[in-house]
Amino acid sequence: MNAAPSFVGAWQYAPVRDPKLLPIVEKVEAGERLTFEEGLTLYHTPDYNTLMRLANRVRERKHGSKTYFVHSLRLEFTNICYVGCTFCAFAARKGEARAWDYSVEEVVDKVREKWEPGLTELHMSSGHHPNRPWSYYPQMVRALNENFPGIQVKAFTAAEIEHLSKISKKPTLEVLRELKEAGLVALPGGGAEIFAERVRKQIAKNKVKAEKWLQIHREAHSLGLRTNATMLYGHIETLEERLDHMDRLRQLQDETGGFYSFIPLAFQPDANALAFNLGKTEFTTGLDDLRNLAVARLYLDNFDHIKGYWVMISSDLVQVSLDWGVSDIDGTIIEEHIAHAAGATSPLGLSRQKMVQLIQAAGRIPVERDALYNELRVFEAPIGSGSRATN
């Protein structure tokens, strides 16, 4: 009896329908970097089956069947913001009935109120508050570490760091250094949106510029603060602009190696000016979401993880995405408000058990990690029913 075919050999049994992909298949098999033009070929190919298998090939080369998640709490300490990004439905003006603005004591109380056993990550990103003094921010980080020993505070996007630089009149590097001294352990990847200036002028003209966003992450990495990177897609950007965004991240990762993961964020078409002006009422399609994740997995060869953000693309599609290059599905996220303000229909959070079941039902091995991607627990055996997770 012949031995089972190797993965390389298996390509023969699942033909590559698009001949333009053949040289890319060879490069992926050889572990070679793809060019910009090859990235565009991946975006345009009608051969989704081969695209999926290529992305899965790289994903399994890096992580096997392991799929990572974190038990995390999401906290937005204010929604007051003066920036005015057109895609945002979260921000409020000071004095609006729906605005909130927590003191340091209230932030501590909110975390205590939502606390669950085993919680490791506190993820915070919020608005650009026009009046809070610089001292508020390191005090908040310090208070959280004092009141919740062992919690890992991952907070402040690069856009927020630039805002803190302005109000403190300190260089961004010094802002980062002082926040790290207060107990900050990592930065989320928000504020990146799309780096292309054409798009940025229309969706986030008052937010941190692309080069400054990259500089702040470069500075964070120089201090030993690891970060994540996002990309907001599905609005007015072109496929070339998506790839340009990834290309700039790939270059910085080559330079610093400081990114943990890349997180594509699907545009949410509700209650924001951009959606209204575009007449857009529909979410990104599942196929576009999966293709985007697969291209990211193949193009960002120097990133450890591509993250499927279930809050925006649903927990159902995230299960499928584990065969399209995704190796991390973020976390329990108790409880998210930014995407939900713009129309996200997912739950405000998922339990640890449901995260595990969701991953196991997709035939993968759940690994609970912390904010710094240290492995805390590997779930080799099924828990609960082991059937398809429900919300």
Side-chain angles (χ1 to χ4, degrees):
M1 178 181 290
N2 294 329
S6 66
F7 187 90
V8 174
W11 289 104
Q12 301 171 31
Y13 302 94
V16 177
R17 298 198 308 273
D18 182 359
K20 293 180 181 177
L21 292 182
L22 289 172
I24 296 177
V25 170
E26 291 181 3
K27 291 184 78 170
V28 170
E29 283 299 326
E32 297 175 5
R33 171 164 287 187
L34 302 184
T35 65
F36 193 91
E37 289 70 26
E38 289 166 338
L40 286 179
T41 298
L42 295 174
Y43 263 128
H44 289 288
T45 183
D47 188 352
Y48 293 109
N49 186 278
T50 300
L51 177 61
M52 175 190 69
R53 286 182 290 132
L54 284 170
N56 190 53
R57 171 67 165 152
V58 175
R59 179 243 202 267
E60 294 199 342
R61 184 186 291 156
K62 286 178 175 284
H63 304 290
S65 283
K66 286 184 173 180
T67 299
Y68 295 80
F69 73 96
V70 62
H71 191 24
S72 64
L73 172 63
R74 193 65 55 97
L75 179 68
E76 293 89 16
F77 45 85
T78 185
N79 63 345
I80 296 174
C81 185
Y82 63 81
V83 173
C85 298
T86 61
F87 62 85
C88 181
F90 169 76
R93 297 290 181 182
K94 193 173 181 180
E96 279 189 50
R98 66 187 187 89
W100 71 81
D101 181 18
Y102 300 147
S103 66
V104 169
E105 293 74 19
E106 288 171 326
V107 169
V108 171
D109 288 344
K110 288 290 177 183
V111 174
R112 185 170 288 114
E113 176 186 324
K114 300 293 182 182
W115 185 264
E116 290 185 4
L119 202 65
T120 55
E121 177 187 280
L122 177 58
H123 176 128
M124 296 194 300
S125 60
S126 292
H128 294 41
H129 195 292
N131 303 115
R132 283 285 186 193
W134 155 243
S135 58
Y136 166 81
Y137 299 92
Q139 284 175 10
M140 177 168 54
V141 174
R142 199 168 283 113
L144 289 166
N145 278 281
E146 289 172 355
N147 282 274
F148 306 99
I151 193 73
Q152 295 173 322
V153 180
K154 183 183 77 179
F156 311 119
T157 66
E160 291 172 274
I161 295 296
E162 187 198 44
H163 168 67
L164 299 184
S165 171
K166 289 178 179 176
I167 64 173
S168 67
K169 303 188 187 310
K170 299 173 186 282
T172 49
L173 180 63
E174 182 59 26
V175 168
L176 289 164
R177 181 179 288 113
E178 293 188 28
L179 289 172
K180 182 183 180 186
E181 289 173 357
L184 184 72
V185 302
L187 265 63
E193 322 313 352
I194 283 282
F195 290 147
E197 188 64 16
R198 180 193 74 84
V199 180
R200 215 168 179 83
K201 284 181 178 177
Q202 297 182 62
I203 70 170
K205 66 179 181 180
N206 298 321
K207 185 173 275 184
V208 62
K209 302 302 181 189
E211 285 308 312
K212 185 65 175 178
W213 188 99
L214 292 164
Q215 177 190 325
I216 289 169
H217 281 260
R218 182 182 291 109
E219 291 173 346
H221 299 168
S222 75
L223 295 174
L225 284 169
R226 300 285 299 273
T227 70
N228 297 290
T230 61
M231 177 180 75
L232 182 68
Y233 70 96
H235 40 87
I236 60 172
E237 86 288 356
T238 65
L239 296 180
E240 288 79 1
E241 286 164 340
R242 290 188 194 180
L243 203 60
D244 166 72
H245 188 94
M246 293 185 202
D247 195 65
R248 298 196 211 189
L249 292 173
R250 190 168 78 172
Q251 291 178 39
L252 182 55
Q253 183 74 331
D254 276 345
E255 179 184 333
T256 68
F259 288 115
Y260 282 126
S261 68
F262 174 67
I263 314 155
L265 302 176
F267 176 62
Q268 306 294 297
D270 194 14
N272 60 76
L274 182 58
F276 179 80
N277 293 335
L278 295 173
K280 192 175 180 62
T281 58
E282 297 182 350
F283 292 86
T284 52
T285 66
L287 194 55
D288 189 21
D289 296 328
L290 292 172
R291 178 174 61 174
N292 203 51
L293 290 163
V295 173
R297 179 59 288 165
L298 292 165
Y299 197 76
L300 295 174
D301 58 343
N302 52 4
F303 275 64
D304 282 344
H305 294 282
I306 303 300
K307 185 180 291 188
Y309 191 50
W310 64 264
V311 171
M312 289 182 166
I313 63 173
S314 84
S315 56
D316 288 341
L317 194 63
V318 155
Q319 282 183 308
V320 179
S321 77
L322 301 185
D323 287 340
W324 289 71
V326 167
S327 56
D328 187 301
I329 60 171
D330 201 292
T332 50
I333 309 180
I334 314 163
E335 53 183 34
E336 199 279 342
H337 291 285
I338 295 176
H340 287 85
T345 57
S346 55
L348 288 177
L350 293 177
S351 69
R352 292 165 82 194
Q353 181 173 353
K354 286 189 175 178
M355 294 293 289
V356 171
Q357 289 177 341
L358 185 153
I359 295 167
Q360 289 179 334
R364 303 289 183 171
I365 301 172
V367 179
E368 185 177 350
R369 61 169 176 83
D370 63 11
L372 305 180
Y373 279 82
N374 297 304
E375 292 189 11
L376 303 180
R377 185 179 177 189
V378 179
F379 295 83
E380 296 283 2
I383 68 170
S385 65
S387 60
R388 187 178 180 80
T390 59
N391 296 335

